[in-house]
Amino acid sequence: MTALQEAVPRDPRDPRGAAAPVSGRREALHFALRNGKLLAGAGVVLVLLLLGLIGPLTIDAPPNEYVGPPMKAPSSEYWFGTTTFGQDVFAQFVYGLRTTFAAGLLGGVVASLIGMVVGFLAGFRGGLLDEILNMLTNIVLVIPTLAVLLIINAYLGIRSVVAQAIFIGLTSWPWAARAIRAQTFSLRGRDFVDLARLSGSNTWKIITREIAPNMSSYLLLTFILLFGNSILIASSLDFIGLGPTEGVSLGLMLQNAGQWSAMQLGMWWWFIPPGAGIAAIVGALYVANVGLDEVFNPKLRET
C-alpha cells in the first residue's frame, strides 16, 4: 500500500483549474482498464460474488436439506456431488459464498470505519488525543483475536454471522489506524489544510473535505486488505467450530467435511470447493490490490 506515499495530493482549490482532478480520474481509469492484475483479480471476485448472489435463487431446496443419495460423486444432477448425508454440496457452496462475502464485507467495513476515525483524529489533532488513541491502538493490537472470540462464544453464546463480523472488525482495525494516522500527519501541514483552518472549518470538515479525498486511493487499498483479512479470520473461526450455529459458510463446509472424514473417505468434492473458494476470493483480492497500487502509483505503472 504505497500508492499515497508516491502520489502528490492536489489542492482542491488549486488555481490551475478544476480539470486537474478530472484528468487524474481519467488517467487512473485509463491505466486500470489496462492493468492485468486488477482486471483478473476483480473478475474472479465479481464472478464468485455473482454466483453467491444469484446461485441460491436457482436452487429449490435449502443447503442443509437431504436431497439425494449420500456420498455421490459430482454428476450432471449434482454438480459438486453430495455429502455423507445426501446434502447437495453445490447448494452449500453458493450459499456459503454469500455468507462468506457478507462476513468479510461487514467485518472490513467495521474495521475500516474505526481505523479511519482513530487514524484521522490521531494524525490531525496530535497532542494528548494522539497519545490516548495510540495507547488504545497498541492495547487492541496485542489482544489475541482468537482468544477474545473464544471467551465471547463461551460466555455470551453469540453465534451469528453479524456478531462474528462485528467482533472481527472490532479487533482488526489497529494496523489500519496506524497507517492512516501516518498519512494524515504528513498531510495536515499542507497549504490547502492551513487555508481550510483559516476559513473557520472545523476538524471533521477539514478531514472529510480536504484530507480524506487526497487519501481516497490509500483508503480503498486499506479496505480491500481488511476485507480479505476478515474473510480469512471468519473462515478460520468457522473451521474450528466457532462460527454461526445456523446457515452455512465456506469455513463451516470445511469444518463439516473434516468432522465427517471426507478426506479419509476420498470425498474430495466436499472439501476442495470451499477451500478453493476461500483461496480464490482472498487471492483475487490481493492481486486486485496489487493492481490498484500500480494504477495509483505512477512509479509502479506498466507502460
Side-chain angles (χ1 to χ4, degrees):
M1 296 189 299
T2 59
L4 184 68
Q5 296 169 345
E6 301 295 341
V8 178
R10 290 188 176 89
D11 185 345
R13 302 181 182 83
D14 197 327
R16 289 174 292 181
V22 176
S23 176
R25 288 194 293 268
R26 289 178 178 175
E27 182 183 14
L29 180 61
H30 170 81
F31 284 100
L33 295 176
R34 288 160 178 77
N35 188 284
K37 299 184 185 72
L38 174 58
L39 295 178
V44 171
V45 173
L46 182 60
V47 168
L48 292 175
L49 177 60
L50 290 176
L51 182 59
L53 293 175
I54 299 174
L57 301 178
T58 65
I59 298 173
D60 298 327
N64 291 324
E65 186 172 323
Y66 309 133
V67 296
M71 302 176 61
K72 185 175 178 60
S75 63
S76 57
E77 185 177 5
Y78 302 104
W79 292 356
F80 286 7
T82 62
T83 69
T84 54
F85 305 103
Q87 299 159 315
D88 189 351
V89 176
F90 179 75
Q92 293 188 343
F93 180 74
V94 294
Y95 274 94
L97 280 174
R98 176 185 290 185
T99 303
T100 300
F101 270 111
L105 179 62
L106 181 56
V109 168
V110 171
S112 297
L113 289 177
I114 298 176
M116 285 190 289
V117 170
V118 174
F120 281 138
L121 285 178
F124 182 75
R125 296 297 297 273
L128 179 61
L129 180 61
D130 182 28
E131 294 181 7
I132 294 174
L133 292 177
N134 264 329
M135 181 179 64
L136 174 64
T137 301
N138 292 332
I139 292 174
V140 178
L141 191 64
V142 299
I143 293 177
T145 303
L146 184 58
V148 172
L149 291 173
L150 278 168
I151 295 172
I152 291 172
N153 276 277
Y155 289 96
L156 300 182
I158 300 176
R159 302 288 290 274
S160 68
V161 175
V162 174
Q164 181 191 60
I166 290 175
F167 288 133
I168 291 173
L170 290 175
T171 56
S172 301
W173 57 268
W175 70 266
R178 280 187 166 185
I180 293 171
R181 172 189 174 275
Q183 298 302 327
T184 303
F185 188 82
S186 69
L187 289 176
R188 71 177 186 177
R190 300 294 178 93
D191 292 340
F192 59 90
V193 175
D194 291 336
L195 182 60
R197 284 197 185 98
L198 292 175
S199 66
S201 298
N202 59 35
T203 297
W204 281 114
K205 281 187 177 180
I206 296 176
I207 290 174
T208 56
R209 296 182 181 180
E210 309 295 341
I211 295 178
N214 283 286
M215 291 177 58
S216 57
S217 59
Y218 193 88
L219 297 176
L220 176 59
L221 296 175
T222 300
F223 169 73
I224 291 175
L225 291 179
L226 289 171
F227 184 14
N229 182 63
S230 296
I231 289 177
L232 278 179
I233 296 176
S235 299
S236 300
L237 292 172
D238 292 345
F239 181 69
I240 61 176
L242 294 178
T245 53
E246 297 181 357
V248 62
S249 68
L250 298 184
L252 283 173
M253 289 181 66
L254 286 173
Q255 197 264 345
N256 290 330
Q259 182 178 0
W260 298 103
S261 307
M263 184 176 295
Q264 289 81 354
L265 296 172
M267 299 173 61
W268 55 267
W269 57 86
W270 194 355
F271 59 84
I272 286 183
I278 295 171
I281 295 172
V282 177
L285 286 172
Y286 173 77
V287 172
N289 195 69
V290 173
L292 279 173
D293 198 5
E294 294 177 353
V295 170
F296 294 135
N297 188 343
K299 291 186 178 181
L300 298 178
R301 288 174 182 169
E302 298 178 359
T303 56

